[in-house]
Amino acid sequence: MKSTILFGGSFNPGHRGHAALCCYLTREAWVDSIWLLPTYIHPFGKPLVSFEHRVEMCHRLLGDHGLEARCQVSEVEKELGGVSRTYDTVSYLMNQQPGKSFSWVIGADVLAELPRWYRAEELIKKISFTVVRRKGTPCPPCDFRVLHEEMPDISSSEIRNLLETGGNVEAFLSPGVEDYVRHLSLYR
């Protein structure tokens, strides 16, 4: 059965690494579609630009890379309100679409944090996980599906630092996202 990939994240900002993962996943036979789920309120209190800005950057990212046919941006975490918790998001989506098969995608660097997630043991039983390897980051052994291809090592925090200091981010942000960020002076 094909799965809908749930790609949760801050997307602060959405960058070419996120697009590369979406491009890779759209070529996988077992993937039906990909939903980008921007975090509404980060569970660890991480400062973020507004949810609306991050949603718009996700739309622009998908458009810049021609991914709209198989990828969409979901505002489900805003609909749920409050702090975004993967368990709550997954439970809600599974209740809304009971016949649909979902898989939550995480980076290999996040595997060590997974046991500290809200209701982690129940979450792992509830949904399958797909692990993405990142260049330069080892992938510890796990019982999840691990993608073979490594994704580029692009960090949103490094991009924010470059934007703050007026650095060149062309290699990291697609044109639509960069225009949006610069026009609104986000991260300055």
Side-chain angles (χ1 to χ4, degrees), residues 1-5 32 94 97-103 127-128:
M1 182 176 193
K2 288 191 170 203
S3 286
T4 294
I5 299 292
D32 179 49
M94 288 180 154
Q97 300 190 37
K100 198 170 210 55
S101 172
F102 291 107
S103 182
I127 190 170
S128 70

Side-chain angles (χ1 to χ4, degrees), residues 10-85:
S10 299
F11 300 103
N12 190 38
H15 54 67
R16 292 184 190 271
H18 298 133
L21 175 57
C22 290
C23 286
Y24 177 81
L25 287 168
T26 60
R27 295 189 304 266
E28 291 289 303
W30 59 274
V31 174
D32 179 49
S33 61
I34 302 155
W35 297 0
L36 276 66
L37 300 130
T39 301
Y40 186 58
I41 297 173
H42 199 281
F44 304 123
K46 189 171 158 183
L48 306 168
V49 297
S50 78
F51 181 78
E52 291 72 24
H53 286 319
R54 291 178 292 112
V55 165
E56 179 59 27
M57 286 187 278
C58 286
H59 282 294
R60 287 171 180 252
L61 181 71
L62 296 179
D64 285 347
H65 291 276
L67 291 165
E68 307 97 317
R70 301 255 324 264
C71 302
Q72 67 183 46
V73 181
S74 170
E75 295 188 31
V76 67
E77 294 204 341
K78 180 181 180 181
E79 293 169 27
L80 292 172
V83 173
S84 298
R85 301 209 184 271

Side-chain angles (χ1 to χ4, degrees), residues 85-154:
R85 301 209 184 271
T86 304
Y87 180 86
D88 296 336
T89 301
V90 166
S91 297
Y92 176 79
L93 290 171
M94 288 180 154
N95 285 336
Q96 292 295 310
Q97 300 190 37
K100 198 170 210 55
S101 172
F102 291 107
S103 182
W104 192 272
V105 67
I106 59 171
D109 54 324
V110 177
L111 272 176
E113 298 172 14
L114 188 57
R116 294 194 310 262
W117 286 16
Y118 176 71
R119 297 176 79 171
E121 287 182 24
E122 294 169 73
L123 178 65
I124 291 167
K125 291 175 185 167
K126 187 180 264 304
I127 190 170
S128 70
F129 279 82
T130 300
V131 179
V132 179
R133 296 184 306 154
R134 198 176 190 178
K135 285 189 178 169
T137 304
C139 183
C142 64
D143 293 330
F144 306 133
R145 179 192 310 254
V146 178
L147 300 180
H148 297 289
E149 190 168 320
E150 290 183 334
M151 294 297 112
D153 186 19
I154 300 175

